[in-house]
Amino acid sequence: MRLPVSTWPDIEGWLQKSKTIVIPIGSFEQHGPNGFIGTDALCPEIIANHAESLAPGDILVGPTFNIGCAQHHLGFTGTITLRPTTMIAAMVDWTESLMRHGFERLYWLNGHGGNIATIETAFAEIHARRSFDPKGADNRPGLSLKRRDWWDFKDVMGICNQLYPVGHGSHATPSEVSVTYWGYPERERSKTEMSPKIAPAGTIGDAVQYRRDFPDGRIGSDPTQSSVEDGGKIVAVAAKCVLEEVARFSA
């Protein structure tokens, strides 16, 4: 099931059998000359929706939390970011809204490395609010929160390394760009020329430093290797891993 295209009676029915929801979470930032600005939100969304299509009665996919922490990308046109405090507050509100209806297990499928610290801090804030609640545990459901970075499954990392032994890099990678091309094949731009072929590697500071040191937005990557076909292979592996882990998380 998918929450955005379900009715409220549908969700009441879902809650009779499961208290789990999968929430894709990402970012809205540049991804080099041929990667979509929405890549980090699109990847977990595409993977989660494909997992749901494989087992429509087994998982519920929520709306995508598609704006994250990307302040260091603001030197590139089109980037939209939240401050960490804003993102934490929004995640608290999303969580407490779902809890009010009876959800107890929230699986956040993350697509942006820059979100990790803020997601974990949001989890700490959510648990702290519950701990400080003077009502204690009386008449209150349990709550489990999990973050999974979609690329971090062993099998997903394996196929990415197999497909891109050279030039995978750390930002605007061919794997993430391929996933989005599979989701939107009519928008593939893998023939875009880039120089140097493999972008320089290095560390990220603020937006000014990022644009100065990585002028086309890539870090250590060669996303001209990206393809719809590769994206399909990666999504198939990632969706299988998500289904298996969500089943364990829900048990």
Side-chain angles (χ1 to χ4, degrees), residues 15 19 30 69 74 100 108 113 138 182 193 211 226 236:
L15 285 164
K19 307 296 184 185
Q30 67 81 23
C69 288
L74 283 172
R100 189 181 192 281
W108 298 79
D138 294 343
W182 182 82
E193 293 186 5
R211 185 60 191 262
S226 306

Side-chain angles (χ1 to χ4, degrees), residues 89 97 116 136 150 153 177 181 187 235-236 242:
S97 296
I116 292 173
W150 71 263
F153 290 106
V177 173
Y181 285 176
R187 303 191 69 84
V235 170
V242 167

Side-chain angles (χ1 to χ4, degrees), residues 80-212:
I80 302 174
T81 188
L82 300 177
R83 297 176 187 273
T85 49
T86 307
M87 183 172 170
I88 291 166
M91 287 184 65
V92 170
D93 288 351
W94 279 46
T95 299
E96 293 185 347
S97 296
L98 291 166
M99 288 176 60
R100 189 181 192 281
H101 304 306
F103 287 96
E104 299 178 7
R105 295 178 179 272
L106 278 62
Y107 180 99
W108 298 79
L109 184 62
N110 178 44
H112 176 47
N115 281 347
I116 292 173
T118 305
I119 291 173
E120 293 299 326
T121 304
F123 288 177
E125 176 66 22
I126 292 162
H127 288 305
R129 288 165 66 96
R130 289 164 57 81
S131 297
F132 280 109
D133 185 345
K135 296 179 181 179
D138 294 343
N139 300 315
R140 189 178 66 186
L143 177 66
S144 295
L145 303 170
K146 182 174 180 62
R147 185 204 90 244
R148 168 61 75 178
D149 308 323
W150 71 263
W151 61 85
D152 201 35
F153 290 106
K154 181 180 178 180
D155 289 349
V156 173
M157 296 181 72
I159 192 170
C160 290
N161 290 333
Q162 176 186 337
L163 291 170
Y164 314 113
V166 178
H168 191 244
S170 59
H171 185 69
T173 64
S175 60
E176 60 185 339
V177 173
S178 288
V179 168
T180 62
Y181 285 176
W182 182 82
Y184 297 86
E186 73 283 1
R187 303 191 69 84
E188 180 179 7
R189 303 181 187 186
S190 57
K191 294 182 180 179
T192 302
E193 293 186 5
M194 302 177 203
S195 181
K197 184 173 178 58
I198 298 177
T203 58
I204 302 171
D206 61 18
V208 174
Q209 175 265 330
Y210 193 122
R211 185 60 191 262
R212 182 194 69 220

Side-chain angles (χ1 to χ4, degrees), residues 1-3 5-7 10-11 14 17 52 55-62:
M1 290 177 66
R2 300 183 190 180
L3 183 57
V5 290
S6 299
T7 65
D10 292 338
I11 303 308
W14 172 265
K17 68 173 186 176
E52 187 273 340
D58 293 341
I59 67 170
L60 171 66
V61 178

